[in-house]
Amino acid sequence: MSYSSMKFKVGLFIFIFLINIAIAISYLLVQKGVFDKHYTYYFKAFSAEPYRIGMPIKVSGFKIGYVDSIKLLADTTVQIGFSVDESNRRWVLKESVIMIKKPLLGETNILLYTSAENPILEDESELKVFQTDDINDLIFKLTPVVEKIENIVTSVDKITTYLAKDDSEIIKILKNIEKFSDTLAKNNSLLTTITGDQSATNALTKSVKKLPAMMDNFNSLSKDVKDDILPPISEFVKELGNIAVDIKQKLKKLDSVVNSVDGYKGDIDKIKEDIKVSIIKSNQILDKVNSIFIDKNNKEVTLP
Amino acid sequence: MYRFINSLGSFAIESIEFFIFMFQNLLHILSPKYYTKYTNISLIKELYISIINNLSIFILFALIFGSVIIVAITTFIINFNLKEQIGILLVSIMIDEFSPIFTTFFLMLNYSLYTHLVVANNQKETNQTFSRVYLPKLIAGIVSVVSMSFIFATIMVLSGFVVSLLYLDIDLLTYKSLIINAIMVQDIVILLLKGIVFGYIISSIPIYYAQKSNQDNRNKIKYIIKTLIGIFMSILILEAIFYITKGLI
């Protein structure tokens, strides 16, 4: 291959390579906003410890800028500077505040809270800062729980101390159980263990042994009852039924008599009234007759 | 024991010689007086041999191995549920680590051996040797590793898009924003620095051992093997140094 051809090919490669690299890097830098105008804002903190250069500033979870300077001021406070590009400047408004959120685990978050109605904040301005500390919040919330746990532990300690004493209820129960189990191990039956009397167990055993014979006797007795007593009783029940039917018929007749007597009731009442009037009049006559005998001057008797 | 101390001493002297040689060559590269008309002619030839001759096979290897690596990374991302971190993982593995190392190993087996054989066969060492032979090779090594690393990184990023589309259903816009958000300027600086350092290593070590080979005509093969092992060990050590330095920054 000739030198000129070689030179052309190498030159072409280098040219294409450099053009491509230049385009790729330019595109990357433009996309990353390196050439955009940046606006810087500040906030103050008591310590630079949780911050680092390049930390993102977030609005509603979106990165809008980065911390680009951390300076120690004369009054020992720390000035944190962050920059945002032109497109994200609209989020940094007057009355906007910075919230520093320290999670229990992981890196500190710098959040920007803003109100959409306010005008855009001027470059190089300072923002107010608030801090929430997840660890301290958690400790604050957990303090009463820890106190309760302490009380519970103290109570449990007291209970276990009491239970460990020789005269405690649980020790007594355990001793009794031990005695009971010892006695149970020594005796042949549970009944002897409970009653403490071997003769009771023996008597129960005898009774249980007699039980089959008793059951046989009962079976034979019930058989006799079935043969001798049940037929007369059934006849008696039949006669009793006939008597009941007869009584029922007689009661019906008695009911008609009672009804007829009830129909004469008005006449009887009239007769009773007449007799009553006659008696009253007789009494009046008698009274007057009496008064004549008593009064000798009046000889005349007026009849009713 | 005597032999051990003796070999340790010779190793120490050889290492010092090696570092002096490397430092001297570096100073010569930065010195304009070594750049002559013949240097430019030789440089064009060396660039042609190192880059243009190998470009097609390099792109093919980059497509195959790059895709394999991207599939492996994507599988890792799926298994460990790191879909949100795909941009950072792809950039750190493709651009920072894999591109310069793969390019260096490719050129080590190709251009370094060629350089070693050319220098070893060039018996006459004159005042013009550095300007005409060594300097073009050193610069060609640096330029080839830098440029081919960028090509490899580009191919891997494009392969990453295809694999992400097939495996993770990530469309072009999302992939583009993931990669752009993940790439930092320092990633490109690291790629550039690694390219320069590794390029210098793959061209200077073959020259060093080729010169040694000229002094010792009996063991030519031994110096070829030493060249390959020297480059391999240097790349690993430098990679570790880069990794530690990046962590410190």
Side-chain angles (χ1 to χ4, degrees):
Chain A
M1 180 168 289
S2 67
Y3 176 71
S4 60
S5 168
M6 208 181 277
K7 202 162 83 173
F8 176 75
K9 284 181 181 175
V10 171
L12 185 69
F13 171 79
I14 299 291
F15 177 75
I16 293 169
F17 172 72
L18 288 177
I19 291 286
N20 281 325
I21 289 296
I23 290 169
I25 291 173
S26 308
Y27 178 74
L28 189 68
L29 295 177
V30 167
Q31 287 290 319
K32 291 186 92 65
V34 174
F35 303 118
D36 292 348
K37 182 171 166 49
H38 281 73
Y39 298 88
T40 308
Y41 300 95
Y42 300 99
F43 64 89
K44 283 184 180 174
F46 291 109
S47 168
E49 208 172 345
Y51 307 102
R52 60 172 175 78
I53 301 288
M55 267 179 91
I57 312 292
K58 292 180 180 176
V59 173
S60 305
F62 285 87
K63 290 173 192 169
I64 60 152
Y66 296 91
V67 171
D68 56 6
S69 68
I70 301 172
K71 282 180 189 170
L72 181 64
L73 299 179
D75 58 350
T76 69
T77 56
V78 179
Q79 188 190 51
I80 315 289
F82 67 93
S83 61
V84 295
D85 58 18
E86 184 70 50
S87 62
N88 286 316
R89 196 192 172 198
R90 60 195 163 129
W91 307 115
V92 190
L93 307 172
K94 283 183 181 173
E95 307 292 326
S96 293
V97 291
I98 291 282
M99 177 74 79
I100 309 297
K101 198 169 184 182
K102 288 182 181 173
L104 195 59
L105 294 171
E107 198 179 47
T108 302
N109 292 314
I110 306 173
L111 311 171
L112 180 74
Y113 287 94
T114 188
S115 173
E117 293 165 357
N118 293 328
I120 292 172
L121 192 65
E122 288 173 12
D123 193 19
E124 305 278 335
S125 301
E126 191 171 309
L127 285 95
K128 286 181 184 173
V129 63
F130 295 94
Q131 189 163 324
T132 62
D133 200 336
D134 279 7
I135 297 168
N136 287 340
D137 290 348
L138 193 69
I139 290 167
F140 182 71
K141 284 176 186 170
L142 283 176
T143 304
V145 179
V146 171
E147 283 174 2
K148 279 186 180 176
I149 290 169
E150 275 181 4
N151 290 336
I152 290 165
V153 169
T154 311
S155 304
V156 169
D157 187 45
K158 280 179 184 174
I159 290 164
T160 50
T161 310
Y162 169 71
L163 291 176
K165 284 180 183 174
D166 286 343
D167 58 342
S168 68
E169 297 295 329
I170 193 83
I171 296 294
K172 284 177 184 175
I173 289 165
L174 286 171
K175 282 178 180 175
N176 289 335
I177 289 169
E178 195 181 351
K179 280 180 189 173
F180 182 75
S181 58
D182 281 346
T183 318
L184 191 65
K186 284 174 189 171
N187 295 320
N188 291 328
S189 77
L190 183 64
L191 188 64
T192 312
T193 308
I194 293 166
T195 58
D197 187 7
Q198 183 64 40
S199 59
T201 309
N202 294 337
L204 186 72
T205 311
K206 281 178 185 175
S207 302
V208 169
K209 281 178 181 174
K210 283 179 181 176
L211 203 60
M214 284 171 70
M215 290 299 291
D216 289 341
N217 290 338
F218 183 74
N219 281 337
S220 60
L221 191 66
S222 63
K223 194 179 178 185
D224 293 343
V225 166
K226 197 177 176 183
D227 295 340
D228 303 336
I229 298 168
L230 282 179
I233 286 174
S234 62
E235 283 178 14
F236 174 71
V237 170
K238 280 178 184 174
E239 282 180 15
L240 207 62
N242 293 334
I243 291 163
V245 170
D246 190 38
I247 289 168
K248 196 177 175 183
Q249 286 172 355
K250 283 175 179 170
L251 280 171
K252 277 181 180 175
K253 286 175 183 175
L254 195 63
D255 193 38
S256 61
V257 172
V258 169
N259 285 335
S260 60
V261 169
D262 195 37
Y264 296 122
K265 194 182 174 185
D267 298 335
I268 291 166
D269 287 342
K270 199 177 176 184
I271 293 162
K272 273 170 75 180
E273 194 63 33
D274 291 344
I275 292 167
K276 197 176 176 182
V277 170
S278 304
I279 290 166
I280 289 166
K281 285 180 177 177
S282 305
N283 284 338
Q284 283 176 353
I285 294 165
L286 284 171
D287 286 341
K288 283 183 179 178
V289 171
N290 279 338
S291 63
I292 292 167
F293 284 113
I294 293 163
D295 188 7
K296 290 176 177 172
N297 298 323
N298 193 4
K299 303 291 184 184
E300 193 178 341
V301 177
T302 308
L303 292 173
Chain B
M1 188 67 185
Y2 174 77
R3 285 181 69 186
F4 172 72
I5 292 169
N6 201 21
S7 63
L8 199 67
S10 65
F11 175 75
I13 291 163
E14 199 177 315
S15 299
I16 291 164
E17 276 180 13
F18 174 74
F19 283 115
I20 290 168
F21 173 80
M22 299 289 272
F23 188 68
Q24 276 180 343
N25 277 353
L26 196 65
L27 288 178
H28 291 166
I29 289 170
L30 298 171
S31 172
K33 72 174 184 181
Y34 289 100
Y35 288 86
T36 61
K37 184 187 167 188
Y38 297 109
T39 310
N40 293 341
I41 294 166
S42 294
L43 180 61
I44 298 291
K45 284 180 183 172
E46 292 298 328
L47 286 173
Y48 184 84
I49 291 161
S50 63
I51 300 171
I52 309 294
N53 264 355
N54 301 319
L55 195 59
S56 54
I57 191 82
F58 177 76
I59 289 171
L60 184 71
F61 271 111
L63 276 172
I64 295 166
F65 286 104
S67 302
V68 169
I69 293 295
I70 288 291
V71 169
I73 296 167
T74 313
T75 313
F76 173 82
I77 286 165
I78 294 166
N79 287 341
F80 289 91
N81 199 19
L82 296 168
K83 204 173 169 182
E84 289 122 23
Q85 307 293 326
I86 184 171
I88 296 164
L89 275 168
L90 287 177
V91 166
S92 60
I93 293 171
M94 290 186 307
I95 295 175
D96 292 358
E97 306 297 335
F98 203 74
S99 298
I101 284 190
F102 180 85
T103 311
T104 307
F105 286 149
F106 178 82
L107 288 170
M108 176 186 88
L109 298 170
N110 196 316
Y111 185 64
S112 298
L113 290 177
Y114 164 78
T115 304
H116 181 93
L117 292 173
V118 167
V119 175
N121 290 327
N122 185 17
Q123 297 288 339
K124 290 176 186 174
E125 188 91 14
T126 61
N127 291 333
Q128 295 291 314
T129 308
F130 186 82
S131 294
R132 291 189 177 192
V133 182
Y134 300 158
L135 185 59
K137 287 187 185 300
L138 290 170
I139 293 169
I142 292 167
V143 172
S144 56
V145 173
V146 170
S147 59
M148 288 165 95
S149 294
F150 273 98
I151 291 169
F152 190 85
T154 311
I155 290 169
M156 280 194 90
V157 169
L158 294 174
S159 302
F161 164 62
V162 176
V163 174
S164 304
L165 184 70
L166 294 173
Y167 278 77
L168 300 171
D169 273 342
I170 293 176
D171 61 295
L172 180 62
L173 278 174
T174 314
Y175 183 77
K176 189 190 83 178
S177 65
L178 278 170
I179 296 292
I180 284 171
N181 281 326
I183 289 183
M184 298 287 168
V185 178
Q186 62 254 41
D187 293 317
I188 295 164
V189 173
I190 286 170
L191 180 62
L192 194 67
L193 277 176
K194 277 186 177 178
I196 292 167
V197 174
F198 292 172
Y200 182 66
I201 292 290
I202 63 154
S203 51
S204 60
I205 289 177
I207 294 169
Y208 175 76
Y209 281 113
Q211 283 180 341
K212 290 273 177 191
S213 170
N214 284 340
Q215 292 163 10
D216 182 8
N217 283 320
R218 288 171 298 175
N219 292 315
K220 294 277 182 190
I221 300 294
K222 188 180 94 175
Y223 288 104
I224 292 172
I225 293 165
K226 272 193 170 186
T227 299
L228 294 176
I229 292 170
I231 293 170
F232 191 78
M233 294 305 291
S234 305
I235 296 300
L236 291 183
I237 291 164
L238 285 167
E239 183 64 35
I241 291 167
F242 268 112
Y243 194 77
I244 293 163
T245 315
K246 190 184 169 188
L248 291 173
I249 290 167

